[in-house]
Amino acid sequence: MFRKILIANRGEIAVRIVRACRDIGVRAVAVYSDADRASLHVQLADEAYPLGPSPSRESYLVIEKIIGVARYAGCDAIHPGYGFLAENPALARACADAGVTFIGPSPKAMEQLGSKTAARHLARDVGVATVPGTLDPIERSEDLRKAAQSVGFPLVLKAVAGGGGKGMRLVEREAELDASWRDASSEARNAFGDERLYLEKYLLRPRHIEIQVLGDQHGHIIHLGERECSVQRRHQKVIEESPSPIMTPELRHAMGEAALKLARAGLYTNAGTVEFLVDSERNFYFLEMNTRLQVEHPVTEMVTSLDLVKLQIRIAEGEPLPLAQKDVALRGHAIECRIYAEDPDNNFLPSPGKILERRVPSGPGIRLDDGVYTGWTVPNEYDPMLGKLISLGNDREEAIARLRRALDEYYACGIKTNVSLFRRILTTQDFQTGAIYTSWLDDFLRNEKQTGHEESTPPRGEGGASQAVEDAAIFAAALWSLSQNGASGKMAGNISAALDSRWKLEGRREQLDREPER
């Protein structure tokens, strides 16, 4: 058993790993940049060490600093979480050189399957269909233009080392090619330290469905069913669910077998996800493999009752998988929303700042994985995701109903969040019937902008109450205050008249929104 695990990450995933370590009696060691000194993962860990300046390229992306802390703290293993160095084989090699276990696949498996272009080569070799496009990174501008003309527009530029929508650009016409190439390669370099790109044909209205795989060091590998990830904004997943609304036992078996075929060919161990695009005829095409834990892993945990992080740790320790493929069963339906500190009504502008007040949802079938607290300041230097809100129901209808209830209970004051967007999405007929595709949300937002969602959606406060309920609450609070202070009938009459003034009503609401006294 490991004694200490260093978590080479931040935010909600670092908190998630700390909790898994606690469950199995392993000490958790956190690292943090200057911006994260007061973060929740730092407070919850058994030990915490600074990495330096806030920019990730000077802290979380510096392998030498991560390994240095692991050695100094006496850690047996390093868990990379997701993002940052999670899919960088250089970290896995540095761990091996330092005598520290990397909780993830081998460097060779990461190079074969984590590299988008190498994985496409492997898929072709083992007979798994891929999206049309280039199999190798494109190095020169003349090769780019030639490949684009061969594949045809629209197409998608993708980072070889990418993930999470970083380093991706949709190119609809040749005139956009050069600018998209510069933007995507620059974003890829900043996010992953690797600016190489390749391109794929853009499929019309496909669904994004992925298969979770687990492999141990004894040659056993299984899949844990699928996750539907088609609700995306600019290629970034926003809502995930399991099982997929379009899934059949036959399709699940075929996609599961294709995922296992790829993972076996790459000698894959630990947790990973094989991603596919599925067309309207239920034909599926290999997209890429994420050689790490996924952001959306909780929906799989909810429907399988398995703890993927603890399984990752036990696999890294050399333990065999505790179940076979025949033992995997999906029960119920789970849906996850990624909650971000951003303003969906202002072009999704990030909303860093201090969380003045916060209320979190609870109740049957609700789980919240986050890394924030009241009084914490959301930094401007990193991805603005606060956490993930997950619901579990006996079926999809109940999961949607529970998630809507939880979103109405969620409250954060001092920053903007995208919670109001999820409330609108979950009420649409398309989402309720499962008629979604990878560009559905972009189409939905474009239509909202043209028609104005305010006309069809009652205005809602951050806590979920309608405007009428908020007004009534303010009236009641004012009247209660008067009665408690023995106000005269004349004063009460004056206040009642004043409450009819919209200008004063807004002034009182502004006062209520200020930071509460401590």
Side-chain angles (χ1 to χ4, degrees), residues 378-440:
V378 180
N380 196 36
E381 289 83 0
Y382 311 112
D383 185 280
M385 189 170 74
L386 303 176
K388 292 115 53 171
L389 181 61
I390 309 104
S391 70
L392 176 67
N394 290 312
D395 52 30
R396 191 169 187 267
E397 183 179 5
E398 184 175 54
I400 292 174
R402 284 179 167 174
L403 188 55
R404 290 181 65 183
R405 180 251 299 168
L407 288 166
D408 279 348
E409 292 180 9
Y410 190 96
Y411 173 82
C413 177
I415 59 171
K416 296 283 188 179
T417 73
N418 60 345
V419 167
S420 61
L421 173 63
F422 292 126
R423 296 193 191 109
R424 302 201 299 272
I425 291 173
L426 266 57
T427 61
T428 64
Q429 183 178 4
D430 283 349
F431 186 83
Q432 292 183 0
T433 59
I436 51 179
Y437 47 91
T438 55
S439 60
W440 176 85

Side-chain angles (χ1 to χ4, degrees), residues 136-195:
D136 295 301
I138 300 172
E139 304 290 348
R140 301 179 303 171
S141 59
E142 52 266 35
D143 295 335
L144 167 67
R145 200 162 299 279
K146 186 182 298 183
Q149 291 170 349
S150 174
V151 170
F153 295 89
L155 56 85
V156 182
L157 293 173
K158 291 187 173 183
V160 170
K166 299 289 193 304
M168 284 184 64
R169 291 295 185 278
L170 171 62
V171 186
E172 299 188 84
R173 56 189 65 86
E174 188 170 352
E176 302 171 0
L177 197 58
D178 291 337
S180 298
W181 177 268
R182 286 194 304 271
D183 292 345
S185 58
S186 175
E187 187 175 63
R189 182 173 58 252
N190 290 333
F192 313 111
D194 186 343
E195 63 182 15

